[in-house]
Amino acid sequence: LLIYYNGEFVPKGKATVSIYDHGFLYGDGVFEGIRAYNGRVFKLDEHVDRLYDSAKAIALEVPLTKAEMTEAILETLRKNNLTDAYIRPIVTRGIGDLGLDPRKCPIPSIYIISQEWGAMYGDLYEVGLKAITVGIRRNAPDALSPNIKSLNYLNNILAKIEANAKGGDEAIFLDQNGFVSEGSGDNIFVIKNGKIYTPPTINNLKGITRATAIELLEERGYEVVVQNLGLFDMYTADEIFVTGTAAEAAPITLLDGRKIGDGSVGPITKAAVAAFEEVTGTIGTP
Ligand code: PLP
């Protein structure tokens, strides 16, 4: 496997990160998670746009044009002969000294890692995930915005640890005001009486799969309402599913020990999963 690093391709075993890279020292950088299906990269322009928006938000200038970044991603797949893959572009502030000062990092580091990709949740697509609402809150939009896909994922990791410790497969974040935010790596959809609800993206990542799900469901005649949601809406939902590049659309059938609906995967969730299967040619697997 070859890893892209600042314009060069390095074998996986030799690909290393400097201990002075501020991405390593301080989480000072941004990233994306992208999928390729059957030789086509899914929503590549959207992911490249979000990578550059994340970089802009942390005042990090990516030393490639978007077209060059797109080409670097495609070249990484070609070099590795990958057609069904997960792709992880990372841009960090670069190598500096031990201090925080970003001005001491003259050249941003760009890494692109790709690998073959298998099912994220395996047979959980059939039975649904157990989710836990975690005590740790999602970053506030006025601080480190959850819209930035930054290398600071400690918030998400602590959420995952908490959910796993309580027997959950996935964590559900509330925001600082108690509104439903998102999962540790996916956005949330709630279904009640045939209507689909999802929170606005002020308090969560502007998920590309979320946007795709809204589009696919509306095309199929479902009404999608973007509005703030509370825990009550989750507990009393008929169905809940989450969306993300890794998860695609995945059902949640148990939340904080409460069955969602009758505890089985509901019809609108099945329609969402099937819609992704249609556009990607696969569910969760290459
Ligand atoms: N929320 C968080 C925190 C994520 O890390 C991700 C994954 O990228 C998502 C949501 C889903 O976003 P997308 O559908 O663009 O992959």
Side-chain angles (χ1 to χ4, degrees):
L1 216 58
L2 294 169
I3 315 295
Y4 175 101
Y5 171 61
N6 285 2
E8 318 227 315
F9 286 93
V10 186
K12 185 178 161 190
K14 297 218 164 108
T16 53
V17 175
S18 163
I19 54 163
Y20 296 104
D21 191 312
H22 280 208
F24 168 71
L25 282 174
Y26 299 115
D28 184 0
V30 295
F31 74 105
E32 271 303 318
I34 313 175
R35 294 277 289 276
Y37 298 97
N38 305 313
R40 296 199 56 217
V41 183
F42 193 62
K43 305 280 174 189
L44 180 53
D45 291 347
E46 286 83 346
H47 282 283
V48 169
D49 283 345
R50 188 171 65 185
L51 182 68
Y52 280 66
D53 283 348
S54 292
K56 185 82 183 283
I58 67 161
L60 169 58
E61 202 169 322
V62 185
L64 295 183
T65 64
K66 284 186 183 179
E68 288 166 341
M69 176 63 75
T70 300
E71 183 46 33
I73 291 167
L74 294 172
E75 186 61 12
T76 305
L77 288 178
R78 284 195 290 264
K79 281 249 190 289
N80 289 298
N81 281 319
L82 289 169
T83 54
D84 293 276
Y86 183 84
I87 310 148
R88 169 62 56 87
I90 301 163
V91 185
T92 78
R93 192 76 59 186
I95 297 168
D97 63 18
L98 274 185
L100 283 177
D101 193 347
R103 292 168 302 187
K104 302 255 177 77
C105 306
I107 306 163
S109 306
I110 302 176
Y111 309 86
I112 305 171
I113 311 166
S114 61
Q115 64 180 45
E116 237 181 289
W117 183 256
M120 164 94 175
Y121 285 125
D123 56 10
L124 289 180
Y125 292 93
E126 309 286 320
V127 294
L129 308 177
K130 293 193 203 78
I132 302 286
T133 310
V134 291
I136 186 159
R137 298 295 170 102
R138 194 69 175 107
N139 301 334
D142 60 349
L144 177 61
S145 166
N147 295 157
I148 305 171
K149 204 166 163 61
S150 88
L151 292 177
N152 278 275
Y153 252 47
L154 204 46
N155 190 219
N156 310 58
I157 287 162
L158 292 179
K160 197 87 179 170
I161 288 171
E162 189 179 333
N164 291 158
K166 292 175 177 164
D169 305 302
E170 178 55 311
I172 303 293
F173 273 121
L174 303 179
D175 70 12
Q176 315 275 326
N177 297 312
F179 292 119
V180 173
S181 161
E182 62 181 331
S184 72
D186 30 57
N187 295 102
I188 297 174
F189 287 80
V190 169
I191 292 124
K192 183 74 172 176
N193 296 332
K195 266 199 216 169
I196 304 167
Y197 300 86
T198 190
T201 56
I202 184 72
N203 69 4
N204 54 64
L205 187 75
K206 294 177 192 289
I208 290 162
T209 321
R210 172 188 178 279
T212 307
I214 293 174
E215 197 182 297
L216 293 176
L217 288 163
E218 284 180 342
E219 271 170 26
R220 284 158 180 75
Y222 295 102
E223 187 180 347
V224 182
V225 183
V226 176
Q227 67 170 50
N228 280 325
L229 299 169
L231 261 184
F232 179 83
D233 301 310
M234 302 273 282
Y235 291 151
T236 59
D238 298 326
E239 306 176 37
I240 299 176
F241 65 87
V242 292
T243 63
T245 293
E248 296 181 4
I252 287 180
T253 47
L254 193 74
L255 176 62
D256 298 341
R258 293 146 176 94
K259 271 188 203 168
I260 299 306
D262 66 5
S264 65
V265 179
I268 296 182
T269 302
K270 282 186 183 157
V273 173
F276 274 97
E277 194 185 358
E278 266 175 55
V279 294
T280 63
T282 171
I283 307 181
T285 48

